[in-house]
Amino acid sequence: MQNQLQAIIVSKQTSRWHRFDSQQAINEAAVQRILAAAQEAISARGRFSIVLAGGGTPKSVYGLLRNAQADWSKWHVYHNDDRCLPVDHVDRNSLMAREVWLNHVAIPANQVHDIPAELGPVEGAKAYAATVAGIDTFDLVLLGLGEDGHTASLFPGHVWDDSLDAFPVFNAPKPPSERISLSARRLSDTREVMFLVTGAGKQEAVDNWRNGVAIPATVIAPATGVDVYTFGVELK
C-alpha cells in the first residue's frame, strides 16, 4: 500500500502516520501537500507562510518544488533551525534551500527569511525572534527526525527556553555545536505540521515516539496534530 495512515496520541500530541513504499512516493506526496496547503492559505488569507527543515529528504522535496507551478509571490519562507556558520557554508540549511529551490522561483527576496546564524547563536537568535514576532500563526511547518529523536535543534537532554520564539543552542551533540532554533512553542503555533522521516536509522526514534517515550519530536503539538510521512521504517 503506497500510503498507510495510522493515528496515535502521544502525550498532548496527536500524530497521524503515513507510510510510503518508495522515496519517490513520499517526495511527491509531500510536494502535493505543500502546494495544496499553499493554495488553501492564499485563498483564505492572501499569503502562505512555510517553515523549512534541513536534511536530505527535504532537499529532495525542494528540488521538486523548483519545477512546480505556484503563486510564488504570496509565499513567505522561514527556517526551523540553522547552524552558526558563514552564510556560504555548505552545511547551512538556508544555502541548501536557496540553491536547490528558492533561487529558481519568483518568491520576492524580502519574503525569504533566513536565520542570521552567521551572527552567532545569541545575536542571531535575537534577530530571528524579532523576524518571526510579527507572524501570527504559520501555515505549514516542515520538520525532520534525528536518530536520537531530535527535531529542528531541539536535542534530547537539553533545556529549551520555550518563552522565546527563537533561542541559541550550545553544545549540540552533532557538529557544529552552536545553532539557532525556533522553540517548540513557536513551531507548534501553526495550522499544519509535516514530519519527513526516512531511513532505517530512524527506526528506534520512531518506535520510541509511537510507544509514548518523550523524545523531542513529541513536544511539537499544534491543535491540529501532526502528520508524519515515513519511508524505510516500520510502523510497529
Side-chain angles (χ1 to χ4, degrees), residues 131-154:
T131 295
V132 301
I135 306 303
D136 181 16
T137 298
F138 295 124
D139 291 306
L140 175 61
V141 169
L142 301 181
L143 291 165
L145 180 71
E147 294 182 5
D148 60 356
H150 84 268
T151 191
S153 283
L154 307 176

Side-chain angles (χ1 to χ4, degrees), residues 133-230:
I135 306 303
D136 181 16
T137 298
F138 295 124
D139 291 306
L140 175 61
V141 169
L142 301 181
L143 291 165
L145 180 71
E147 294 182 5
D148 60 356
H150 84 268
T151 191
S153 283
L154 307 176
F155 291 100
H158 282 213
V159 176
W160 318 311
D161 190 344
D162 234 18
S163 69
L164 303 174
D165 283 346
F167 66 94
V169 177
F170 302 96
N171 301 315
K174 294 178 62 179
S177 62
E178 295 184 342
R179 300 166 176 238
I180 295 167
S181 181
L182 292 186
S183 65
R185 174 188 56 77
R186 195 63 186 90
L187 290 168
S188 298
D189 188 5
T190 181
R191 294 178 176 85
E192 188 171 350
V193 169
M194 179 194 300
F195 279 88
L196 298 172
V197 181
T198 63
K202 310 294 177 64
Q203 187 67 59
E204 182 178 358
V206 166
D207 291 344
N208 286 336
W209 188 348
R210 290 170 60 80
N211 289 331
V213 177
I215 64 173
T218 64
V219 302
I220 309 302
T224 54
V226 305
D227 287 280
V228 190
Y229 285 32
T230 70

Side-chain angles (χ1 to χ4, degrees), residues 72-79 94 98 102-115 128 131:
W72 299 117
S73 68
K74 303 295 196 303
W75 287 51
H76 296 256
V77 178
Y78 303 85
H79 292 268
S94 55
R98 285 180 176 275
L102 299 175
N103 287 347
H104 307 279
V105 296
I107 299 175
N110 65 351
Q111 293 174 199
V112 177
H113 305 281
D114 294 344
I115 298 176
Y128 210 57
T131 295

